[in-house]
Amino acid sequence: METVAADRAILDAFDEALCILEGSGALRSMNRAAERLTGYCERELRGQPFFPRLLAPDADDCEPPSPSPRARERLSLRIRRKDGRTLDVRCEIDALSGNGDGGSLLKLRSKDGPNEPDALVETTKKLETIFGGMVDGLVVINEAGDILLFSRGAEKLFGYRAEEALGRNVKLLMPSPYREAHDGYLSAYRETGVKKIIGVGREVVGRRKNGTTFPMYLSIGEIWLDGTRYFVGVTHDLTRLKRAEDRLLTLSAAVEQSPIAVMITNNDGEIEYVNSRFASLTGYPPHELIGRNPRMLQSKRTEGDQYRRLWESIRAGVEWRGQIQDKRKDGKLYWASEIITPLRNANGEITHYLAIQQDITEQKRDKEALFESEQRFRQIADMAGDWLWEQDKDGRYTYSSSAVEDVLGMTPEEVVGKTYVDLFAKESAEDVALNTAPSPIALRRAFHRVVNHYRHKNDGDVFTESTGAPIFDEAGRLVKWRGVDHDITSRKTFEDALRVRNRAIEAVPIGIAVWDAQAPRVPNIYVNPALSRITGFTREELLGHSLHLLRGPETDPAALEKIRNAIVHRTSCQVVVKFYRKDGVSFWDELSISPVANEAGRITHFVSVHADISDRRRVEENRHELEIAKQIQLSLLPNAPLRTPHMEIAGICVPATHVGGDYFDYFENSGVIDIVIADVSGHSVGAALIMTEVRSTLRAETRKATNALSGPAELLRDLNELLHEDLTAADLFITMFYCRFLPQTRTLQYANAGQNPPLLLRADGAVCVQLDADGLVLGVMRAVDFKEGSLELAAGDKLLFYTDGITEAQNRQGDFFGLERLSAAFMQHRRLAPRDLIKAVLADVRAFRGEAPATDDVAMVVAQVC
């Protein structure tokens, strides 16, 4: 263990000769009294074995003490001073730690003292003269132990006045058990002459008049006066010294064993002491640090200005605190929280600097990781569109993330200070005011996925799912709320639309069922009312059962096998099969089965669409009439492209059977160009007739003066009103997309009634864009409002209108042609004229379909802006 400046400063406060030895016996520090006693300076002996270096050559019979005692040891030694003189000393050694590994504290006292015989009276007078003014006590006793001299110092030390002590046995100054044994000590010495304490000083315990005890150093000398033996005792109160020693031992052990790294440098910045924690922190053993400058630990990651400010502070006598990054011996960097304090001597001069370091590498890393995690969370939350917020206990916003701009169109600054009710839509705020039920805020408990209705800054409706939790202090008092709002406006709009569509499915005249593909015998889990009307079975009778319920004596086994294969292989299937109603009457079911996959691509359900085509089957028995119907139907469609100075349009319709329900039309009317494409459900004569009715009604409506300036949405509304009764009676419905091109402004107005959205390909565009507007299919409800959209077109822009016979065309593997392939074909053939473009796309569809038959009508219209 190396010399410590702090050790020397403490040791010099004692008059006795004190040394601190390492566990190996090497000298670590010694005070001035020890330097005077041995004649050596500390630097001459530092780091060298103290014993046997100082043992006198003639002290062969003296056994040096252990440098690491486990208990206090006392013994007499003869040492050789630096000047060669020998000196008998009393030695006391104490361990600095419990196991002795931390070194020891060594105390040395000289045995030499005055020994001049004289007459007792004269001697006592001289002793009183010499010791009367001293703090130490002087006591002279005879061989019987009677006190003959009791100095003023003894009076102060023991609390007895001299007249109280003189003539009494000296054992009154001793506590038990020494008091009872003292007379025996004197008697044994008189009889044997063996000295135990006489001539040797030692620490003993004294007893005051009030009964309290105290540590003292007792030196006893033997004198003969006129043939009579007397004993002279000098007592020195060790109470303050013992306290200081204990404090020194505790302080030294505390510094050495402290979990905080400690370093002491001199005024020039040279390291004079480091504790074991500092050594382990830096990786350098103490001997590699002593005498070096702390700059050897600098990592070059800490700014130079920080070191400059550090030295300016401590040289000015001001304590410095801060965080620095140092480098260990192995090159690894570590962060430390450091305090550097100047140490001053008695004159107030700075002599040393005390540095205390605490390793905060893990704390720094954890803090940085926490900060990074918070930043990552906030970024992810912002990217996800989630609005993070904090509110005070009254629900007033104190923090808002920037995502509120995406959710409500407001900046965080606009939100802070408002309550959540302030941001609600008017009707929601009124509901809160009128609602007598307590809110989650009032209940002081967490809430999850509460739907809130806010008003966007531009007056639009915003719906969110809000989740929050209260934050309490240690006393259980509510401090604030913390939560997140997730924008569900789009989802809610979709769900509302889905509910409308569900109602539409419930209202359509064709039968629809959903099967559980993962349950045995794939039972129905949903049937619409139309399927109950078609089959005669109630919804409860159909649920939980499969198509087996509809089989009868003339049901075609081949058709059933086709259905079974579709279920087993999880593919689509279209089949016409004879089934039987509950009353036993047969009917022809045009059955379409489609698999439904989940997000993972696993088929979980089947959707079956049932159309009672019994009437159509009867109609199909007369082929000639169907051919006539086909010709009539095709004759109603435009027979040539439409070319105007502003637009060129071409179209085609290819029925899947003799007659079909697909329909398109384009014509010029009052200076505008109208384009329509529609699909009537089914492929029967009824569908063709309805299509014919639709064409006639539509043409008539567009020629009315009142509708000449009407928009597509109004025309669809009027058309739905006119056709509703016929469609309902025929159990049919129509999907239709209607648009109107205004040449003067090149504006396209459009509305949609459930038809596939057309594709727009700009002249310089790289992708196809779908044109869509919300609207229910025609014939489902009598009063329907349709949403109208508009956009401006430019020369070279192309529009592609199509029915689902294109996108739902299947090959032998059951794959659909799909929108993606249609868009790619549109872009591939974009340079062709409308009529040629249609032919090219149809060729792509036929090539994709291969030998698979067409299962649905195909209608397609291409319009090009000139």
Side-chain angles (χ1 to χ4, degrees), residues 517-529:
Q518 302 181 79
R521 300 174 66 84
V522 287
N524 295 317
I525 60 173
Y526 167 80
V527 294
N528 71 341

Side-chain angles (χ1 to χ4, degrees), residues 543-554:
L543 292 176
H545 294 85
S546 65
L547 291 178
H548 291 77
L549 193 66
L550 305 178
R551 290 188 304 180
E554 296 183 13

Side-chain angles (χ1 to χ4, degrees), residues 374 377-382 385-390 397 399-404 407 412 415 482-486:
E374 290 178 348
F377 173 75
R378 292 185 186 276
Q379 290 174 356
I380 291 174
D382 287 342
D386 288 342
W387 168 29
L388 305 179
W389 50 261
E390 287 187 354
Y397 290 100
Y399 164 79
S400 171
S401 69
S402 59
V404 72
V407 178
V415 171
R482 182 176 296 145
V484 58
D485 273 48
H486 178 66

Side-chain angles (χ1 to χ4, degrees), residues 400-469:
S400 171
S401 69
S402 59
V404 72
E405 296 187 48
D406 297 326
V407 178
L408 299 180
M410 304 174 68
T411 65
E413 292 75 18
E414 291 176 305
V415 171
V416 171
K418 293 182 172 63
T419 68
Y420 63 98
V421 178
D422 295 335
L423 305 181
F424 277 175
K426 182 179 179 181
E427 56 271 22
S428 293
E430 292 174 351
D431 290 344
V432 171
L434 296 174
N435 193 359
T436 57
S439 68
I441 296 290
L443 294 174
R444 294 162 51 95
R445 64 190 181 197
F447 53 91
H448 303 277
R449 303 181 68 179
V450 174
V451 176
N452 288 332
H453 183 189
Y454 294 105
R455 178 64 61 188
H456 195 276
K457 189 175 181 180
N458 63 8
D459 288 336
D461 290 322
V462 176
F463 294 90
T464 70
E465 280 185 345
S466 184
T467 299

